[in-house]
Amino acid sequence: MNAAPALSVEALFAGIGPLSILQGVSLELRSGEVVVVLGANGAGKTTLLRTIAGLLAPRSGEIRLYGEAIGGLPAHRVTRAGIGHAPSGRELFPRLSVGDHLELGGTFCAPSRRALLRERMLAMFPVLRERIHQKAGTLSGGEQQMLAIARALMTDPKVLLLDEPSTGLAPKIVLALFEAFPLMRAQGVSILLAEQSLSLGFAAADRAYVMDHGRIALSGSAKELAADSRVADTYLGR
Ligand SMILES: Nc1ncnc2c1ncn2[C@@H]1O[C@H](COP(=O)(O)OP(=O)(O)O)[C@@H](O)[C@H]1O
Ligand SMILES: [Mg+2]
């Protein structure tokens, strides 16, 4: 048993050029949890996930994966350490096939492990099996999001960072995607979700953090926060 949280972020500061975006973010994702970071557009959710993923260097603060310091490592080393990232806007290659994307995701895995993960992904999202030779650009929005998640899971992560999967999708489709969370959890993946939609975020997560202007404004169980009027005030107060 590893008592350390799956992911811990402590007093994280990050920015782009002269712009300070994250202003001392601290949060924790325990092993097996689904945690949502809620925030209005521009709150800093994507910047937080990109910094955890190693795509943006922290200015200060700590990021730990099961106790191991990963803050400041380049993205490929963060991936190898066990963080999978399904980025904002999916970032698929429209002309590459579904199968190609899974191969790309599994690049760093041993071939036998890669084959096992591929099979898991196709069992998790059966429609991707039907579309295995189809180009990503021809998939529906929901299928593209499945593929973005599957590609991230092909890196064999311990933590999945999932950035606003609901963008451009009907809520019903998003809720169907969230049905795969228990499977991921059963496969040892803890999930940090960024969402703008309060209802979808609360539906998916065990716990929630509300982010505002690069800071964590509120945190608690999804149930508590769903009933907390301060959440709406934080959103409207921007
Ligand atoms: N590449 C960038 N250049 C300049 N400003 C940026 C860039 N990326 C994000 N920002 C700014 O940082 C803030 C947080 O953005 P972001 O992390 O994308 O928030 P969210 O994902 O919560 O919508 C916003 O004010 C946004 O305009
Ligand atoms: Mg975002």
Side-chain angles (χ1 to χ4, degrees):
M1 272 298 285
N2 192 332
L7 182 72
S8 77
V9 172
E10 276 169 50
L12 189 64
F13 285 76
I16 298 167
L19 190 66
S20 296
I21 301 175
L22 303 182
Q23 324 231 20
V25 171
S26 298
L27 58 78
E28 208 173 87
L29 172 68
R30 297 174 201 132
S31 195
E33 269 190 322
V34 178
V35 166
V36 66
V37 177
L38 291 163
N41 192 25
K45 306 178 297 297
T46 292
T47 304
L48 172 63
L49 265 49
R50 286 175 55 82
T51 307
I52 296 169
L55 294 165
L56 189 64
R59 290 185 177 160
S60 61
E62 297 285 343
I63 305 170
R64 288 198 175 81
L65 178 68
Y66 284 100
E68 180 195 349
I70 57 162
L73 293 181
H76 68 277
R77 292 198 45 204
V78 173
T79 305
R80 280 177 190 251
I83 302 245
H85 183 213
S88 172
R90 342 245 201 256
E91 294 187 20
L92 300 175
F93 302 98
R95 289 202 282 237
L96 292 188
S97 72
V98 167
D100 292 338
H101 281 85
L102 297 181
E103 282 302 305
L104 281 173
T107 304
F108 295 138
C109 282
S112 60
R113 182 74 183 162
R114 194 185 312 158
L116 176 108
L117 288 169
R118 188 177 187 278
E119 205 37 54
R120 271 189 190 172
M121 291 308 107
L122 299 180
M124 189 179 288
F125 301 117
V127 70
L128 294 183
R129 194 191 299 275
E130 291 167 30
R131 310 244 188 283
I132 196 83
H133 300 300
Q134 219 169 295
K135 288 180 177 153
T138 68
L139 301 177
S140 72
E143 291 161 0
Q144 290 190 8
Q145 186 58 64
M146 285 176 202
L147 182 56
I149 294 171
R151 177 181 57 183
L153 292 175
M154 284 298 296
T155 66
D156 208 3
K158 301 184 188 100
V159 166
L160 173 68
L161 308 175
L162 180 48
D163 199 345
E164 242 179 276
S166 68
T167 304
L169 301 182
K172 194 179 72 176
I173 308 274
V174 183
L175 290 171
L177 271 172
F178 290 168
E179 283 174 16
F181 284 180
L183 257 173
M184 296 178 205
R185 198 193 296 239
Q187 291 165 2
V189 180
S190 311
I191 301 168
L192 186 66
L193 170 71
E195 253 307 331
Q196 211 176 132
S197 159
L198 296 178
S199 56
L200 289 172
F202 288 136
D206 306 307
R207 285 191 307 115
Y209 292 88
V210 178
M211 201 171 176
D212 184 38
H213 290 91
R215 293 187 172 85
I216 301 296
L218 292 168
S219 65
S221 73
K223 215 173 161 183
E224 277 162 16
L225 285 189
D228 190 332
S229 62
R230 289 177 303 165
V231 174
D233 294 345
T234 306
Y235 270 66
L236 298 173
R238 290 187 55 81

